[in-house]
Structures are given as C-alpha cells and as structure tokens.
Amino acid sequence: MSARRGRPSLVRRIVADLSPLRSSREFRLIWTGLLVSELGYQFTLVATYVQVTRLTGSAAAVGAIGLAGFVALVVGSLVGASFLDAFDRRRVLIWSQLGYMAGSAVLLAGALRGRPPVWVVYLAVGLIAGISAVEGPTRSAMTPRLVGQELVPSALALNQIIWNGTGLLGPALAGVVIARLGLAWAYGIDLVTYGAMLFAAWRIRPMPPEPSPGPTRGWAAVREGFAYLRGRRVLGSTFVIDIIAMVFGMPRALFPILAVTRFHGGAEVTGLLFSAPAVGSLLGAATTGWVRHVRRQGAAVIWAVVLWGVGIAAFGLVGERLWLALGCLAFAGAADVISAVFRSTILQLSVPDALRGRLSAIHILVVTGGPRLGDLEAGLVAAAFTPQVSVVSGGVLCVLGAALLAWRVPELRRYRAGEPA
C-alpha cells in the first residue's frame, strides 16, 4: 500500500505541473493562443530558410537571414523597452499580433510572385523579428500577474512545452507542405494562426502598468532597464551564457545545406533537422515537475549549456547517419530546455513588475537574437571552411565558453533559488 501511495507523488515530481492552467483562466487563454500561433510560425521559419536557399544557393546568404532578424531585434528591443512598462500589456499584445500578420502577408505576397528579390524576404523576417521584440517581453512580463509568484516556474515550463512541441511538429509539417504545396501555403498557414493569439488577448482583462518611482517611457526608461543589470552578476551571466550557447552552438542555418550535401534529402529532411532538437526539448519540458525543487539553479544552467554544446559537436561528427544525427540534436534540445526554464525563472522572480517588461525585452533580445547571430556565424564559418567544421567547432566553443563563464562568475554556479540575482 505504501508503494502505491508513493507512486503518484513520484509522478507529480516528474510530469510537468499543470497547476497554472487549472488555476488561471487567462493564462489558459494565452497559453492556448500561443500554442496555435507558435505552430504557425514554424512554417515561416522553415520556409524562409528554404526560400533563400533556392533563391541564392549560398550558405552566407542563408546566414544573413539571422543578421536581418538580429538587427531588427536590437531596434525592436530598444524601442519596446521605451514603452513596455508604461502601457496596458493586453493592448500591446493585441497590436503585436496585427504586426505579425503584416509580416506574414509580405512573405505570402512574395511567394505568390514566384521568385521575389531576396531583400523582400529579409525585410519581412526583420519586421516579424522586430515585432517579437515587443510581443515576447509583453507576454512574458504578464506571467507572474496571471499565475502568481509560486507558479511561475511551472508556467514557464508549460510555455517551453509549447515552443518545443510546436518546434517538433511544425518544421516536420512545414517540410511536407513546402515540398508538396509550395512556399505560399506555408506562409498562409502562419498568417491565419496569428488569429488565435489575437482572440486570446482580446478575451483577457486589461493589464495596466503598476506604479513606478522611475521613468517608464522614453530613453530614460531604456537606460533604467540596462542600469538595473549593473552589479547583478548572476542575472547578467544568465544572458551571457545563452549568447554563448546560441551564437556558437546553433547550426540551424546549415540544415537546408546539410540535408542535401550530407543526408541526400530535400525539404522533408530539412524539416526533420529543425524538428529534432524540439523532440528532446519537448521530452525535457514534459518532465519538468522536478524543477521547482531544484535549489542550485545557477549550476543547473551551466551544466545544461555544457551538455547542449556536447550534443551539437556530436551532431557534426556522425557523418551521413541521419537518425544518429537526429538523436544528437534531440539530446542537445533536452539540455537547452532545462537551461531556458532556470534562466527565465531567475529573471521573472528577481525583477520587480515595474521593470519586468524592460528586462524581459533584454532577455528576449538575447534568447531570440543569439540564434540569429548563430545563423550568421554558422553560415560564414561554413563558407570559409566546411559545414562540418562550422558545426563541430561551434559545439566545442560552446562548452569552453560555458566553462570559462563558470570560472569567471562563481556567483552563477553558487546561486540558489530565492537568493538575490
């Protein structure tokens, strides 16, 4: 009998905690809207890489997608940080969905044209990235007020299930849709799915800003957000370690090229490569019931990033064995999701609400800008050497960078839950 009574407790410690979905109708609405819209975005993500590959045949040109997105992210983050904590977050979320739709419409129009100038793709990618620098921090900053402080780690883990579940299913479906129906269908699907988040944002209550003793808009607000990071070495190092992981260890810009040159496939194999990290990430996120019991959160971040780098380096060394390569990417994805959960938890629980929008903007810039710089780095190294050299060297540099940061910032590896960050 005692063993039977202990079994549910063990399951609860492993399986993702669903309490935020049960306790908050508004979090449930936002979570469902994000699920649908994020699935649609995966179609655009894969389609842009495939389209630029077809238009140019150049690894550097594909990597430039990351540069276009990164520049837009920087601009969007700075602009967003100047007003995110000054306006109703629900209203900002609604307008952001309309901006996303405009970017998807540009891509759809270009695909219907047949062979648009490559700058049109870069322009639309930049527009979507710039909007994400406003929408992502807005939605993230809403989480503690939707679910309460105690359930923030569980809510963030549930969001990871969305990003990685859609990252698993979306690219695989996108590869099939692009191969059989064309790029326009992929962009059209993305355009329609943004309506789900638009509906969810419309249904929740207004979320006006809380009073703040400091400036909440303009460049003074931006400066205050960056000033908050000064002296907070643990919080700042969580940004730095993610930049290391994504700039050096994110080879997704090479997936369309590796699909052809190494694995002798096309759009379907490209979709599998994009989906593989999400397989591990989804499994990792679905078994995060234990994360709220972890005290040494800083050490968990460091080890997760090290394992991510190991998985990426192994992916570069497996040769033409596709399923083994997919397994390495899945292993890397499982490590990455653990890092993401703990980094986000440290941020959301250590920053006051009046600054949370601005700090979330910086966080989103790092999280989504890092992979875009990684696209550029991977493409340039592959063009100068080979795709394999690019992948393997990136994984190794990721491991070395995480070890160096752990040595230089001992506060991070010593950080425990509940301490000031």
Side-chain angles (χ1 to χ4, degrees):
M1 292 294 292
S2 60
R4 289 182 180 178
R5 283 196 295 267
R7 198 171 300 155
S9 176
L10 177 62
V11 170
R12 283 195 297 269
R13 287 180 65 90
I14 296 175
V15 176
D17 183 10
L18 302 180
S19 299
L21 292 173
R22 289 194 294 263
S23 64
S24 173
R25 166 189 168 274
E26 296 186 323
F27 178 77
R28 192 162 58 244
L29 278 169
I30 295 297
W31 191 87
T32 305
L34 180 63
L35 173 63
V36 176
S37 63
E38 189 66 19
L39 179 63
Y41 171 70
Q42 299 301 318
F43 284 75
T44 286
L45 177 66
V46 176
T48 52
Y49 287 111
V50 172
Q51 188 172 27
V52 173
T53 300
R54 291 177 179 176
L55 290 173
T56 67
S58 165
V62 178
I65 294 174
L67 179 61
F70 179 73
V71 171
L73 274 170
V74 172
V75 175
S77 296
L78 292 176
V79 172
S82 70
F83 66 82
L84 281 176
D85 291 315
F87 292 96
D88 187 310
R89 287 170 180 160
R90 170 181 173 268
R91 185 174 299 177
V92 174
L93 196 60
I94 290 172
W95 281 103
S96 297
Q97 305 315 306
L98 299 176
Y100 278 144
M101 289 178 172
S104 290
V106 171
L107 289 168
L108 175 59
L112 291 172
R113 177 178 174 177
R115 290 184 64 85
V118 71
W119 67 263
V120 172
V121 180
Y122 294 151
L123 176 66
V125 166
L127 176 59
I128 292 171
I131 295 296
S132 74
V134 174
E135 191 268 352
T138 300
R139 181 170 31 78
S140 179
M142 295 167 74
T143 302
R145 290 171 67 176
L146 292 176
V147 303
Q149 297 272 335
E150 183 180 348
L151 292 179
V152 165
S154 298
L156 295 175
L158 288 171
N159 287 341
Q160 289 293 330
I161 291 178
I162 286 182
W163 291 320
N164 295 294
T166 57
L168 164 62
L169 183 61
L173 290 175
V176 174
V177 167
I178 292 167
R180 299 186 180 181
L181 300 175
L183 291 164
W185 275 87
Y187 294 135
I189 289 170
D190 185 25
L191 177 60
V192 171
T193 57
Y194 283 123
M197 180 58 84
L198 183 62
F199 174 78
W202 190 266
R203 292 291 307 277
I204 67 172
R205 71 184 187 276
M207 192 171 290
E210 293 189 353
S212 171
T216 59
R217 65 177 70 183
W219 293 114
V222 177
R223 289 194 298 270
E224 185 183 29
F226 280 99
Y228 184 83
L229 286 173
R230 288 198 207 107
R232 291 174 169 86
R233 285 165 58 86
V234 172
L235 185 58
S237 63
T238 63
F239 294 173
V240 174
I241 200 168
D242 189 56
I243 292 174
I244 291 170
M246 294 296 105
V247 170
F248 295 114
M250 175 52 80
R252 66 182 184 180
L254 304 179
F255 288 167
I257 297 169
L258 290 170
V260 175
T261 60
R262 177 180 288 188
F263 303 114
H264 314 295
E268 293 93 338
V269 174
T270 301
L272 288 175
L273 292 174
F274 272 97
S275 295
V279 173
S281 295
L282 180 59
L283 290 174
T287 54
T288 50
W290 53 274
V291 298
R292 58 180 175 172
H293 304 292
V294 173
R295 298 291 299 167
R296 299 190 61 190
Q297 295 178 346
V301 169
I302 294 168
W303 280 109
V305 171
V306 167
L307 292 176
W308 159 266
V310 170
I312 295 301
F315 165 68
L317 295 172
V318 297
E320 299 180 359
R321 291 164 286 189
L322 177 59
W323 292 107
L324 187 55
L326 296 175
C328 292
L329 289 174
F331 174 83
D336 182 54
V337 75
I338 301 304
S339 167
V341 168
F342 285 119
R343 284 185 291 103
S344 297
T345 299
I346 292 170
L347 170 69
Q348 294 297 336
L349 295 185
S350 65
V351 177
D353 186 80
L355 285 166
R356 195 172 290 134
R358 281 164 280 182
L359 270 295
S360 293
I362 300 172
H363 181 244
I364 293 296
L365 173 61
V366 170
V367 169
T368 57
R372 296 174 189 277
L373 283 180
D375 291 343
L376 181 63
E377 185 270 344
L380 292 177
V381 175
F385 300 97
T386 67
Q388 181 180 17
V389 169
S390 179
V391 174
V392 175
S393 65
V396 171
L397 287 172
C398 178
V399 173
L400 295 177
L404 178 62
L405 184 70
W407 174 58
R408 294 291 297 169
V409 188
E411 296 95 327
L412 177 61
R413 68 174 187 266
R414 297 171 187 160
Y415 176 76
R416 294 178 179 272
E419 295 177 350

